[in-house]
Amino acid sequence: MRKTFVLIRPCIQQLKQTAVANFQKTHHPLDWVSSFEAVCAHAWVCATRARARMVFNFTVDCRSLLHPALPETYFGNALKPCFVEAEACELLRDDGFARACAALHGRVREAMEGDPISDWRSWPDWAERLGDASLVGVHVVSSPKFRSYDVDFGWGRPRWIEFVPLVPDAAGTMVVADARDDEGGVSGSYG
């Protein structure tokens, strides 16, 4: 069963502030987290209940990160898979949400520095690990930066967008998109 939720900007700001404040109390300073990182960390922690080991995977848009960068008019994908792994007990602690934000934040920053495809040889190993039954995952398949509600095929702005997973019974698939009526808000679908 797939559920869709919308987090409005004030809720996202509260998640971001909570992550930074809680992480700075016990760990190295975390100056800020993005809306994507906060929403994904929240979903990751919620999905972790009653599981032993979790992996969170998402993709980074590499079009502007390649050398030379792909032109704005490039039509196609240039995505790098990113994986973050954690023990469930780490995510279910009092500071678990902050830890999840920090892990995602670190992985995003790492993916955006240097050559984004330098580790391409390890990607098949991760894909194989995702088939491991003991490693439960959350798999993000979109981003609020794609501005889904700005698309107009001639009928005007969409009233509602629902994302359907490519594999209908794929558990753990999460879509993160922009919210229609809240600038800076995020719509999420998990199932």
Side-chain angles (χ1 to χ4, degrees), residues 55-171:
V55 65
F56 191 98
N57 77 293
F58 57 97
T59 55
V60 172
D61 182 358
C62 294
R63 290 177 290 187
S64 65
L65 304 175
L66 296 172
H67 301 288
L70 293 171
E72 287 290 320
T73 56
Y74 174 76
F75 186 76
N77 290 330
L79 303 172
K80 171 193 176 78
C82 295
F83 304 91
V84 183
E85 197 171 350
E87 295 292 335
C89 61
E90 292 174 18
L91 298 175
L92 297 176
R93 295 170 40 155
D94 288 342
D95 64 346
F97 171 68
R99 287 173 174 266
C101 277
L104 289 166
H105 183 78
R107 190 64 185 104
V108 168
R109 297 298 154 247
E110 181 184 307
M112 296 179 75
E113 294 173 356
D115 181 3
I117 58 173
S118 62
D119 63 343
W120 67 271
R121 290 183 192 275
S122 69
W123 299 354
D125 296 336
W126 269 104
E128 186 176 315
R129 288 200 62 212
L130 291 177
D132 181 350
S134 68
L135 192 64
V136 179
V138 176
H139 315 286
V140 175
V141 295
S142 188
S143 169
K145 294 201 180 227
F146 293 143
R147 308 291 308 160
S148 306
Y149 286 100
D150 290 348
V151 175
D152 185 348
F153 293 106
W155 301 292
R157 191 169 184 235
R159 282 189 229 153
W160 184 257
I161 293 174
E162 190 68 41
F163 295 90
V164 179
L166 293 175
V167 180
D169 296 328

Side-chain angles (χ1 to χ4, degrees), residues 5 12 15 28 33 56 66 84 101 139 182 185:
F5 57 91
I12 294 170
L15 285 173
H28 301 291
V33 294
F56 191 98
L66 296 172
V84 183
C101 277
H139 315 286
D182 184 40

